[in-house]
Amino acid sequence: MTDATEFPDRFRGEFQDIPTTTLADLLGRDRVMDIGIRPLWTPVPRVAGPAFTVSCPPGDNLMLHAAIHRAEPGSVIVVESGDLDRALAGGNVCAVARRRGVVAFVADGLIRDLAEVRELGFPVFARGVIPVPGAKKAVRPLNEPVRCGGVRIEAGDMVVADEEGVVAVPAARREEILGAARARLEKEAAESLDDWERSHRARIDAILAERGYQG
């Protein structure tokens, strides 16, 4: 299992400069969380960090509350829950997480105290908001593989989240994907809109002709 501390700080900063759209192009659909995992306030900054993974059974939030005191600074806490009846966290939990250097929550569930969280400027990507708190009973191990937004996440995977969505880069592929993303962005920056339009039209017309379109 990869520990979040094994990621040099440079990876956090460099991945923060990569749009999720670019990462999605390189990684494919199965590394992109479903559209229900969305920023709960806007405009949200892009965040990036190694996953610190948490599993909470429906109705319970004990292990997320434990995780904020154990996650390394720079981590993104990723929570498997799926509960739509009770909140995983509120304003104070988010405030302590932020104070301790956690960069964001990505949660397959709900939070509460959204006004406080928004005022803090703490990024939360989740399914929504509910005022009902969860219980604190169920003990589960931390930093085990979880599923969040339909994506399997392991501790140390690089999580990148922005207004477009949430993408998880497998830890073993971070160098490869970072290099490919930089190359793609450099190419796009060097290409004018006129160049893009010509290339795009040629590609689309070729596909249409191949499929017998006569218009």
Side-chain angles (χ1 to χ4, degrees):
M1 181 173 64
T2 303
D3 191 281
T5 60
E6 294 178 14
F7 275 81
D9 286 340
R10 73 176 183 87
F11 281 113
R12 299 182 183 110
E14 290 175 349
F15 271 102
Q16 195 168 355
D17 293 334
I18 308 297
T20 55
T21 49
T22 301
L23 295 173
D25 288 345
L26 294 170
L27 288 162
R29 178 67 185 86
D30 65 344
R31 301 305 301 169
V32 181
M33 293 188 190
D34 70 54
I35 63 170
I37 310 297
R38 62 189 186 278
L40 295 188
W41 55 267
T42 57
V44 70
R46 182 178 302 122
V47 297
F52 187 96
T53 56
V54 181
S55 176
C56 293
D60 198 282
N61 61 26
L62 176 62
M63 296 316 297
L64 172 56
H65 288 233
I68 65 171
H69 301 290
R70 291 161 174 80
E72 291 289 330
S75 298
V76 174
I77 292 182
V78 179
V79 189
E80 176 181 326
S81 171
D83 183 25
L84 299 180
D85 291 317
R86 293 179 181 271
L88 288 162
N92 285 342
V93 170
C94 292
V96 171
R98 182 174 183 270
R99 176 190 290 176
R100 293 184 56 81
V102 173
V103 299
F105 286 168
V106 174
D108 201 329
L110 311 173
I111 69 158
R112 66 181 198 162
D113 302 328
L114 179 59
E116 294 179 31
V117 176
R118 181 172 53 236
E119 186 174 350
L120 281 169
F122 183 70
V124 177
F125 299 78
R127 294 202 180 274
V129 181
I130 196 168
V132 185
K136 294 171 181 61
K137 298 178 181 178
V139 174
R140 290 183 170 180
L142 294 169
N143 267 339
E144 294 293 316
V146 299
R147 290 195 71 81
C148 184
V151 178
R152 177 184 166 89
I153 309 291
E154 296 189 16
D157 287 351
M158 182 58 74
V159 177
V160 183
D162 60 21
E163 63 185 1
E164 301 279 353
V166 184
V167 181
V169 182
R173 299 186 65 192
R174 65 183 187 267
E175 293 270 13
E176 168 205 344
I177 296 301
L178 184 59
R182 283 179 181 154
R184 180 178 287 248
L185 291 172
E186 288 172 6
K187 179 181 177 183
E188 291 173 355
E191 184 179 51
S192 71
L193 181 58
D194 289 341
D195 292 337
W196 185 91
E197 182 180 4
R198 281 191 294 272
S199 175
H200 178 261
R201 178 161 187 174
R203 181 166 63 91
I204 296 303
D205 286 350
I207 294 170
L208 290 172
E210 182 182 337
R211 286 156 176 73
Y213 181 70
Q214 301 297 318

